[in-house]
Amino acid sequence: MTQTRPQFVNRYDQRGVAIITLAHPPRNGLEPEVIAEAQSVVQAALLDADVRALVIKGGGTGFASGADLRGAVVRPDPALSALCRMLEDARKPTVAAIHGAAIGPGLELALACHFRVAQVDTQFSFPDIALGWLPAAGGIQRLTRIVGGRAAMSALLGGRAFGTRRAKQLGLLDIVTQGAPLDAAITRALQVAPRPTRKRLDALVHSKLDLEALAAERTKRAVVDAPTAAPRAILACIEAALTDDMASGFRLEARLAATCAEDPAARALRAIFLARRDAVRPNALDIGQVSVGRLGLVASGDAQSDRIAALLGARALRANLALVVGGDDPDARARLNAQIERHLQRSEVAGHLSAGRLNALMNGINLVENLQDIGSCDVVFMGGVRPDVLAHMRGDAVCLCPSDGQVVPAPLAAQVLPCRGLMAPRAVLELCPSETTSPEARALGLALARALDQPAIEVPAGKPPVLPALEAAWLVAADHLLMAGASVAQIDAAFAKAGWREGPFVRQDRFGIVATRTRIAQAAAHQSEGGIKLAASLIAAGQNGIKSGLGYYTWDAGELVGENPAVQSAIALLQPAQKPVLDADIVPYCAAAISNQAARILGAQGVARASDLDVAAVFGLGWPRAQGGPIWAAEDEGLGLLLSRIWGYSTRDSTFWQPAPLLENAVAKMRETLVP
């Protein structure tokens, strides 16, 4: 047995097979230096007369992923393309032994190998489309030739992860193993001859049907109205794989990848991706490496609290965290356990979990009666602060609980981390430490968000929550438009057309008008008098949104029927002299209000970093990712233009449209630099 050990890529030989391991934790990201070393190691193995075959595997918890986007990411990356061609053109069998996850460029690397062996419950994904990109190392050509055009469209256009069961059905995998895939990969490597993808034509026998499906896909709104050119570029590359030679397909991929990388919307998508990642990184505190391995849930019997706990528990299990469920009431513990199982069953139905994995996860839950057993957990979630539970927790653990102003005894307060947004209506978690919350507790909260892949931001101690303030600015601006002559449906339709997750009035109906207006009253410095009166009239009539069947809209079994006639009648009484509002003016008006509010929060140091406001707006309000968020969009458009719009809007309501001091100061400084 021979062995060499470069910095990022290891090699050792076994039974005449060179086992090449990517060793670049934590994700085995294919950075330029990793690719360069992999090329050198692969080339040496191919030239070694004693080597009969090559197996590529990932070290640590996964196979491989893409490069860190903060580096000099090149699209297309000629080095990665060359490495993939080297593996495909090898005259010795090349096998990918995959576990954990193969993501983006990592999956392209696996596709370049002649054979693929994967451990059960491995996750595969091409998330490139979420960044306005497309696989740029030949992945589309190879995937289409292996699984066919329709399956390739499903994998590439959705951007979602799929598991080994689906990958095996598609023909992407040759072998699925229960345990580590290395031994099976070595055995397969010694049994087979090279099988370059360019010679595989079996998946193209249904190319006529694939091309028909591709033509139909091109007419879909998701493609036609996509914020970037990536979906259309992906379809063009799939078509090339079905109709042209592989070399031509590679050239088309490279050309379209370069075009997509320069798209402004792709830049915005990349910015929000980085902002989300940065938001859950702890500040430069001397706390060492903090991670979460065990989550505790305290079953309270309260329906809302236990719904949050069940969702957290299911996600923790999916993230391979150990789970402890405790509480005084055995019935509450059993109900919470059953809720967790229902969440996991939905994942099984969706194909993200195998039945065996689901059973293993459920069997791994530690149901405890004694609260002392909670002491083994790194993070404990409870609906309300309980000193008796805190007394059993380790000194280096943290209690995560909804922020509701509870008073915590001084000796225990350092371990309590209040939070908001663990459930709808906010899809972003706000960690709201108090003055007494320890740096270690704050870091553990962020570590949990990272482990669960939960969008999250940290609100500095003593500062008010961010998302309710942004939401209030949005909804008050929408009230202005409603009183100015726009209809509820017109306003919501404008947001839907602009790519927002939902409009402001559908949102209020969905989460309840009472709860939404309460948040607005608490967070907004200035409201619309007409908007307040309209909401009050609906609430007085028992019209609270979807659950009551009436709100700003009429609903039938959760399905939107149309506008509530009472709304326009009430508006006519409140504001009889109305003028038409142009569709094109609706979203810019509300977006300016959100950006102005974001500038106020930033000026008051209400967030740890400016990009946290973009994370809050995108994941909490549904601001389109391809527009980057309120801070990114304002800077991209120009702060001077935003300020000019705010001054123009102030003629309608000078109280609400007061420019944020930070915005005015920033524009003034920029203008000073222009003075000769």
Side-chain angles (χ1 to χ4, degrees):
M1 179 182 293
T2 61
Q3 184 170 349
T4 61
R5 185 175 176 81
Q7 185 177 359
F8 298 112
V9 182
N10 305 328
R11 171 190 162 190
Y12 70 91
D13 297 353
Q14 180 177 327
R15 296 164 56 191
V17 177
I19 294 121
I20 298 170
T21 304
L22 304 173
H24 185 40
R27 302 174 299 104
N28 291 326
L30 294 175
E31 314 290 351
E33 58 270 26
V34 178
I35 296 172
E37 284 195 9
Q39 286 178 319
S40 177
V41 174
V42 168
Q43 186 174 42
L46 292 174
L47 294 174
D48 191 333
D50 294 328
V51 170
R52 297 168 54 190
L54 286 71
V55 169
I56 311 294
K57 62 184 286 287
T61 59
F63 180 72
S65 64
D68 188 328
L69 293 184
R70 288 205 181 279
V73 178
V74 179
R75 286 281 170 158
D77 185 345
L80 179 59
S81 298
L83 175 59
C84 288
R85 286 196 302 271
M86 187 183 297
L87 289 168
E88 179 173 355
D89 295 342
R91 296 185 178 182
K92 301 174 182 180
T94 58
V95 182
I98 313 167
H99 76 292
I103 302 171
L107 182 49
E108 289 198 85
L109 188 68
L111 288 169
C113 293
H114 301 155
F115 300 89
R116 283 155 295 280
V117 179
Q119 184 174 352
V120 69
D121 292 318
T122 299
Q123 294 290 300
F124 304 86
S125 67
F126 276 118
D128 306 70
I129 196 170
L131 298 175
W133 286 345
L134 64 151
I140 301 178
Q141 302 304 301
R142 294 186 178 99
L143 179 67
T144 304
R145 280 171 166 76
I146 293 170
V147 304
R150 282 164 291 177
M153 280 190 285
S154 175
L156 292 162
L157 294 177
R160 298 183 180 87
F162 55 96
T164 46
R165 182 172 67 179
R166 177 60 175 161
K168 180 67 173 175
Q169 290 172 345
L170 294 176
L172 184 63
L173 301 176
D174 298 285
I175 298 174
V176 175
T177 64
Q178 289 297 320
L182 180 58
D183 288 342
I186 293 173
T187 301
R188 173 53 66 98
L190 293 171
Q191 293 174 340
V192 295
R195 186 184 62 178
T197 304
R198 66 176 181 275
K199 295 184 178 180
R200 295 187 63 175
L201 303 176
D202 48 313
L204 303 184
V205 296
H206 301 296
S207 59
K208 183 176 183 296
L209 295 175
D210 289 340
L211 289 170
E212 291 174 354
L214 188 146
E217 191 70 33
R218 280 196 169 108
T219 66
K220 290 185 178 179
R221 180 177 175 181
V223 174
V224 173
D225 296 336
T228 72
R232 296 182 291 279
I234 287 171
L235 291 176
C237 292
I238 293 174
E239 182 177 28
L242 295 170
T243 60
D244 214 335
D245 63 274
M246 204 162 184
S248 298
F250 286 160
R251 289 193 293 271
L252 178 64
E253 280 187 24
R255 185 169 70 252
L256 293 179
T259 300
C260 288
E262 297 171 359
D263 186 347
R267 291 192 295 107
L269 290 169
R270 176 180 170 180
I272 196 63
F273 175 88
L274 292 171
R276 175 183 175 180
R277 192 179 65 185
D278 290 346
V280 294
R281 288 180 172 175
N283 292 328
L285 301 169
D286 187 18
I287 54 176
Q289 294 294 323
V290 174
S291 62
V292 175
R294 186 181 295 269
L295 174 67
L297 305 175
V298 178
S300 65
D302 176 76
Q304 174 73 356
S305 174
D306 286 352
R307 277 198 298 270
I308 297 173
L311 181 62
L312 275 177
R315 295 181 64 190
L317 290 170
R318 290 283 310 278
N320 296 315
L321 300 183
L323 185 64
V324 178
V325 176
D328 304 313
D329 185 348
D331 291 335
R333 291 197 304 270
R335 286 195 298 271
L336 178 54
N337 192 61
Q339 284 180 292
I340 294 171
E341 185 172 15
R342 284 195 291 273
H343 281 298
L344 294 177
Q345 286 171 341
R346 294 189 190 105
S347 295
E348 182 194 15
V349 171
H352 300 307
L353 277 181
S354 65
R357 175 69 170 155
L358 186 153
N359 291 333
L361 292 178
M362 288 303 303
N363 291 335
I365 298 177
N366 186 12
L367 289 170
V368 299
E369 300 179 11
N370 194 332
L371 290 177
Q372 292 180 350
D373 294 320
I374 293 291
S376 65
C377 298
D378 304 303
V379 178
V380 176
F381 171 79
M382 58 186 82
V385 175
R386 291 181 50 176
D388 59 333
V389 177
L390 288 170
H392 293 298
M393 288 172 51
R394 301 194 323 260
D396 60 347
V398 62
C399 164
L400 196 67
C401 65
S403 176
D404 58 4
Q406 298 178 76
V407 178
V408 184
L412 304 173
Q415 292 182 262
V416 176
L417 179 58
C419 65
R420 292 174 181 262
L422 282 167
M423 286 191 70
R426 294 172 287 273
V428 60
L429 171 63
E430 285 189 79
L431 301 174
C432 308
S434 66
E435 297 287 350
T436 56
T437 304
S438 70
E440 292 80 6
R442 292 161 56 190
L444 273 172
L446 293 171
L448 179 65
R450 290 196 303 274
L452 300 181
D453 195 26
Q454 167 77 41
I457 63 171
E458 184 181 23
V459 179
K463 300 296 182 180
V466 169
L467 191 58
L470 297 179
E471 180 187 42
W474 178 30
L475 300 184
V476 171
D479 282 345
H480 287 175
L481 293 171
L482 198 59
M483 294 301 115
S487 70
V488 164
Q490 180 191 7
I491 294 171
D492 282 345
F495 279 93
K497 185 176 181 180
W500 287 61
R501 187 166 60 218
E502 61 193 352
F505 297 104
V506 166
R507 180 184 180 88
Q508 292 181 67
D509 273 5
R510 186 159 66 93
F511 297 121
I513 297 174
V514 173
T516 308
R517 303 310 298 199
T518 300
R519 289 199 303 275
I520 294 175
Q522 293 171 343
H526 307 285
Q527 296 189 62
S528 161
E529 183 178 349
I532 293 173
K533 291 180 178 179
L534 174 60
S537 68
L538 293 174
I539 294 169
Q543 299 175 7
N544 191 38
I546 291 179
K547 289 186 178 180
S548 63
L550 282 171
Y552 290 99
Y553 293 94
T554 300
W555 301 85
D556 182 13
E559 296 294 325
L560 192 153
V561 176
E563 285 189 79
N564 182 354
V567 171
Q568 288 304 123
S569 299
I571 293 173
L573 294 174
L574 292 168
Q575 200 86 351
Q578 299 180 37
K579 297 179 181 179
V581 174
L582 298 178
D583 292 348
D585 294 338
I586 291 172
V587 174
Y589 185 86
C590 294
I594 298 171
S595 292
N596 193 39
Q597 182 62 39
R600 286 197 191 97
I601 295 169
L602 187 59
Q605 299 180 326
V607 287
R609 55 185 67 79
S611 60
D612 287 358
L613 292 159
D614 293 331
V615 173
V618 167
F619 296 100
L621 300 184
W623 183 297
R625 295 191 194 197
Q627 296 170 24
I631 295 295
W632 192 93
E635 292 178 341
D636 188 60
E637 177 191 31
L639 299 181
L641 289 175
L642 173 61
L643 183 59
S644 296
R645 285 215 310 275
I646 291 173
W647 283 336
Y649 295 147
S650 66
T651 59
R652 307 183 190 183
D653 187 331
S654 59
T655 303
F656 177 74
W657 284 106
Q658 282 289 328
L662 180 68
L663 178 60
E664 288 186 307
N665 293 338
V667 173
K669 288 181 180 179
M670 285 190 296
R671 287 174 177 166
E672 286 176 6
T673 63
L674 298 177
V675 177

